[in-house]
Amino acid sequence: MQVFKFGGVSVKDANSIKNVADILNNKANEPTLVVISAMGKMTNKLEELVNAYFYKSSDSLLIFQEIKEYHFNIINHLFINKNKSIFNEIENVFLEILWAIEEEPSNSYNFYYDQIVSQGEILSTKIISAYLNEIILLNIWIDARDIIQTDNSYREANVDYLLSKDLTFAQIIPLFNQYKIIITQGFIGGTSENYTTTLGREGSDYTAALLAYFLDAKQIVIWKDVPGVLNADPKYFNNTKKIDEMSYHDAIELTYYGTSVIHPKTIKPLQNKNIPLFVRSFLKPNDTGTVIKNLNKRNVATSYIFKTDQLLISIQPKDFSFIAEENLSLIFSMFSKNNIRVNMMQNSAISFSVCIDNDKYKFNNLILELQNQFKVYYNDNVQLMTIRNYDQETITKLSENKIILIEQRSRNNYQMVIKDEE
Ligand code: ASP
Ligand code: MG
């Protein structure tokens, strides 16, 4: 069996969904488990809805209506017969969301976030599964919350591998006797108390990798809007080159430094079972893309990873003590408690600098905690540039018209935190 993963861009409208159906028609030649994300930018919209509901920052009903119209517009395009049960089913999902946002919040923000934002994946998979059945691509819809079991760390839930493996095996394998295609959601899981959790933004790749791991899949394919893994993000660089094959090791490093093609947690389960991961274009499904697999050679081509909207925080002990083990362990525990990932760090005698993504919901809380114990300074709107297999000429070229705030180099990797010149 194989696992396919389709992200939000690949299912953003009715035509894109028809394209996914074509790909399944041509490429699902063996039992295929299909993991799908929320449609288009719906996860962001649902985040807006949660904020409006929880913080009463804007009109939640308006956002709700917008999300509902978006999905109904798609089903109206996909189904000519308006009496199909999918119309009712989707209506019911929205009714549930509406009930949820009509009640006063009595639990944590993260709890509501997961209950509401997860509906994006429920909606997309229900619609796509019904559409595929409509065009006789017979398939069955599975609720990922019944197989991916997690703890209750809402928004960043930890998967119980053993339990999830047993559940996945017991539920999925028998279904493949009847169906060649099984449709499920990425990104979401369930707790032992039957609440919904999410695995962190962009977590659908991770779900797909876990399911491939549990089921000993022959391969996993992530269908994207790029031809494969490129040596740089075409949003910021011209003349990007596709990397045809890459070792798990190189892939882990790229995701560690923040490449946006694959979620950082994806590689480990696949590497553990030696399952090849293909990154291919859903726009050109016959092209080969990139394969990530067990390879002994290191990729020596230069790659660039550019992260915008970064915060550079500088942390100093209030009493002029050194930044040493005790302070560092306190600082790291605060980062870990707030679920904040450090993209780069550097320390000097009395100051510790870290570069992180600018996520204001996580960041405000962290700063408050840090300020209890330390002097904290920060620069926002900075960028982090990582160059793998660098040379001095490339660094000079990329730092033109930039102020370098900090830089760091190892044998193969160079990183700089930069800001535009004023
Ligand atoms: N829909 C979720 C997100 O946008 C998960 C994913 O797409 O991987 O973060
Ligand atoms: Mg997405």
Side-chain angles (χ1 to χ4, degrees):
M1 61 85 54
Q2 59 180 352
V3 175
F4 279 4
K5 183 259 172 174
F6 291 96
V9 192
S10 67
V11 292
K12 69 177 195 298
D13 52 28
N15 279 335
S16 310
I17 293 169
K18 290 180 180 170
N19 179 54
V20 166
D22 280 343
I23 293 178
L24 290 176
N25 230 336
N26 295 319
K27 309 283 177 197
N29 306 321
E30 61 177 296
T32 305
L33 177 58
V34 185
V35 175
I36 309 178
S37 303
M39 293 169 168
K41 297 249 172 277
M42 280 300 116
T43 303
N44 292 353
K45 268 283 158 223
L46 285 156
E47 280 188 347
E48 272 178 47
L49 178 63
V50 179
N51 294 340
Y53 160 67
F54 197 84
Y55 297 116
K56 303 197 168 48
S57 50
S58 59
D59 189 344
S60 52
L61 277 181
L62 274 181
I63 304 170
F64 170 84
Q65 213 47 45
E66 202 186 321
I67 297 171
K68 190 170 169 183
E69 271 162 30
Y70 178 94
H71 287 94
F72 270 95
N73 181 26
I74 290 179
I75 25 184
N76 276 318
H77 273 94
L78 290 176
F79 298 87
I80 300 155
N81 178 352
K82 308 294 181 239
N83 291 325
K84 287 281 167 186
S85 60
I86 185 67
F87 284 86
N88 263 329
E89 243 184 277
I90 297 305
E91 192 63 63
N92 285 337
V93 176
F94 280 105
L95 210 55
E96 266 182 52
I97 302 177
L98 190 61
W99 287 336
I101 61 171
E102 275 171 356
E103 239 169 79
E104 275 300 303
S106 58
N107 208 318
S108 70
Y109 172 85
N110 289 352
F111 172 81
Y112 288 107
Y113 179 101
D114 282 4
Q115 310 318 303
I116 295 171
V117 172
S118 55
Q119 296 299 328
E121 268 68 14
I122 299 292
L123 289 162
S124 71
T125 50
K126 285 201 164 176
I127 294 170
I128 293 163
S129 168
Y131 173 69
L132 296 175
N133 276 325
E134 174 82 1
I135 59 165
I136 327 288
L137 252 177
L138 299 186
N139 73 90
I140 185 160
W141 181 90
I142 286 286
D143 193 326
R145 296 170 294 192
D146 295 337
I147 52 180
I148 302 289
Q149 293 297 297
T150 73
D151 65 4
N152 60 3
S153 311
Y154 295 106
R155 286 190 74 185
E156 207 84 44
N158 300 299
V159 175
D160 180 333
Y161 270 50
L162 290 178
L163 185 55
S164 304
K165 185 189 167 175
D166 286 348
L167 289 167
T168 302
F169 224 84
Q171 296 197 38
I172 301 287
I173 297 293
L175 287 175
F176 273 135
N177 292 327
Q178 288 178 60
Y179 298 92
K180 204 150 92 186
I181 298 176
I182 300 176
I183 305 283
T184 197
Q185 309 80 45
F187 177 56
I188 72 174
T191 68
S192 56
E193 290 163 310
N194 277 328
Y195 288 115
T196 306
T197 51
T198 64
L199 310 179
R201 284 302 306 265
E202 309 303 329
S204 293
D205 291 353
Y206 176 44
T207 304
L210 278 178
L211 294 173
Y213 171 86
F214 296 151
L215 296 167
D216 286 310
K218 193 180 88 185
Q219 61 174 24
I220 159 171
V221 185
I222 297 186
W223 297 93
K224 307 227 21 140
D225 58 350
V226 286
V229 179
L230 305 175
N231 72 328
D233 187 339
K235 228 170 38 194
Y236 306 111
F237 292 87
N238 297 322
N239 305 323
T240 55
K241 286 198 252 0
K242 178 170 77 80
I243 302 167
D244 295 333
E245 51 174 30
M246 196 192 303
S247 67
Y248 292 118
H249 185 111
D250 278 327
I252 289 258
E253 277 209 21
L254 280 185
T255 62
Y256 174 81
Y257 288 115
T259 190
S260 59
V261 204
I262 336 160
H263 188 276
K265 285 181 173 169
T266 313
I267 304 297
K268 183 173 170 271
L270 301 177
Q271 189 271 338
N272 287 171
K273 284 209 176 156
N274 217 343
I275 300 168
L277 164 65
F278 293 82
V279 179
R280 298 174 64 170
S281 162
F282 61 77
L283 301 167
K284 292 193 173 152
N286 291 326
D287 289 2
T288 48
T290 297
V291 57
I292 297 167
K293 60 181 186 185
N294 200 0
L295 267 185
N296 281 328
K297 72 173 190 255
R298 217 181 79 79
N299 182 9
V300 289
T302 307
S303 308
Y304 309 87
I305 301 152
F306 187 50
K307 286 175 82 81
T308 56
D309 203 10
Q310 299 287 297
L311 272 168
L312 180 62
I313 313 178
S314 159
I315 304 161
Q316 302 177 4
K318 284 182 176 162
D319 59 0
F320 247 66
S321 61
F322 287 134
I323 283 282
E325 290 75 6
E326 249 168 60
N327 280 323
L328 283 175
S329 107
L330 183 60
I331 293 170
F332 276 112
S333 70
M334 291 179 184
F335 276 86
S336 146
K337 206 175 106 204
N338 286 288
N339 266 324
I340 291 180
R341 198 177 165 264
V342 172
N343 294 332
M344 180 192 181
M345 60 190 155
Q346 197 166 64
N347 71 318
S348 66
I350 53 163
S351 158
F352 181 63
S353 302
V354 287
C355 186
I356 61 171
D357 293 349
N358 190 357
D359 175 337
K360 64 173 183 289
Y361 296 105
K362 290 182 176 177
F363 159 67
N364 287 337
N365 204 31
L366 171 78
I367 296 291
L368 286 178
E369 276 182 33
L370 284 169
Q371 277 170 339
N372 279 332
Q373 313 267 354
F374 302 96
K375 279 189 283 188
V376 181
Y377 305 93
Y378 58 88
N379 257 304
D380 59 1
N381 218 356
V382 303
Q383 301 140 9
L384 174 63
M385 170 73 77
T386 304
I387 310 170
R388 303 196 65 217
N389 307 318
Y390 62 92
D391 55 48
Q392 190 52 48
E393 199 189 336
T394 324
I395 297 173
T396 312
K397 209 171 88 204
L398 289 172
S399 52
E400 251 170 46
N401 305 324
K402 304 275 185 192
I403 301 166
I404 301 182
L405 300 168
I406 47 178
E407 66 182 326
Q408 214 166 65
R409 58 186 89 199
S410 66
R411 198 149 57 97
N412 300 318
N413 296 313
Y414 171 86
Q415 289 193 290
M416 59 183 165
V417 178
I418 47 184
K419 195 166 99 170
D420 291 332
E421 259 170 12
E422 264 133 46

mmCIF file of all heavy atoms in Angstrom, residues 8 37-38 40 43 201-202, ligand 2:
data_model
loop_
_atom_site.group_PDB
_atom_site.id
_atom_site.type_symbol
_atom_site.label_atom_id
_atom_site.label_comp_id
_atom_site.label_asym_id
_atom_site.label_seq_id
_atom_site.Cartn_x
_atom_site.Cartn_y
_atom_site.Cartn_z
ATOM 1 N N GLY A 8 -3.452 21.952 1.329
ATOM 2 C CA GLY A 8 -4.528 22.915 1.093
ATOM 3 C C GLY A 8 -4.571 23.487 -0.316
ATOM 4 O O GLY A 8 -5.648 23.615 -0.911
ATOM 5 N N SER A 37 -5.514 17.938 3.654
ATOM 6 C CA SER A 37 -5.570 19.110 4.544
ATOM 7 C C SER A 37 -6.860 19.894 4.313
ATOM 8 O O SER A 37 -7.621 19.593 3.395
ATOM 9 C CB SER A 37 -4.433 20.076 4.231
ATOM 10 O OG SER A 37 -3.202 19.460 4.324
ATOM 11 N N ALA A 38 -7.037 20.925 5.092
ATOM 12 C CA ALA A 38 -8.159 21.850 4.889
ATOM 13 C C ALA A 38 -7.966 22.565 3.553
ATOM 14 O O ALA A 38 -6.849 22.724 3.074
ATOM 15 C CB ALA A 38 -8.200 22.855 6.025
ATOM 16 N N GLY A 40 -7.553 25.260 0.681
ATOM 17 C CA GLY A 40 -6.999 26.607 0.491
ATOM 18 C C GLY A 40 -6.466 27.197 1.786
ATOM 19 O O GLY A 40 -5.683 26.565 2.484
ATOM 20 N N THR A 43 -7.572 27.004 7.036
ATOM 21 C CA THR A 43 -7.036 26.907 8.403
ATOM 22 C C THR A 43 -6.797 28.308 8.981
ATOM 23 O O THR A 43 -7.122 28.566 10.141
ATOM 24 C CB THR A 43 -5.737 26.071 8.414
ATOM 25 O OG1 THR A 43 -6.041 24.792 7.854
ATOM 26 C CG2 THR A 43 -5.216 25.866 9.820
ATOM 27 N N ARG A 201 0.726 23.507 13.167
ATOM 28 C CA ARG A 201 0.459 23.983 11.815
ATOM 29 C C ARG A 201 1.280 23.219 10.787
ATOM 30 O O ARG A 201 2.418 22.841 11.047
ATOM 31 C CB ARG A 201 0.751 25.496 11.692
ATOM 32 C CG ARG A 201 -0.295 26.415 12.300
ATOM 33 C CD ARG A 201 -1.693 26.241 11.730
ATOM 34 N NE ARG A 201 -1.813 26.338 10.284
ATOM 35 C CZ ARG A 201 -2.136 27.432 9.627
ATOM 36 N NH1 ARG A 201 -2.373 28.556 10.273
ATOM 37 N NH2 ARG A 201 -2.262 27.427 8.319
ATOM 38 N N GLU A 202 0.687 22.994 9.665
ATOM 39 C CA GLU A 202 1.289 22.254 8.555
ATOM 40 C C GLU A 202 1.547 20.792 8.920
ATOM 41 O O GLU A 202 2.396 20.135 8.332
ATOM 42 C CB GLU A 202 2.593 22.911 8.074
ATOM 43 C CG GLU A 202 2.496 24.405 7.761
ATOM 44 C CD GLU A 202 1.435 24.739 6.723
ATOM 45 O OE1 GLU A 202 1.190 23.902 5.845
ATOM 46 O OE2 GLU A 202 0.840 25.820 6.817
HETATM 47 MG MG MG B 2 -2.541 23.939 4.989
#
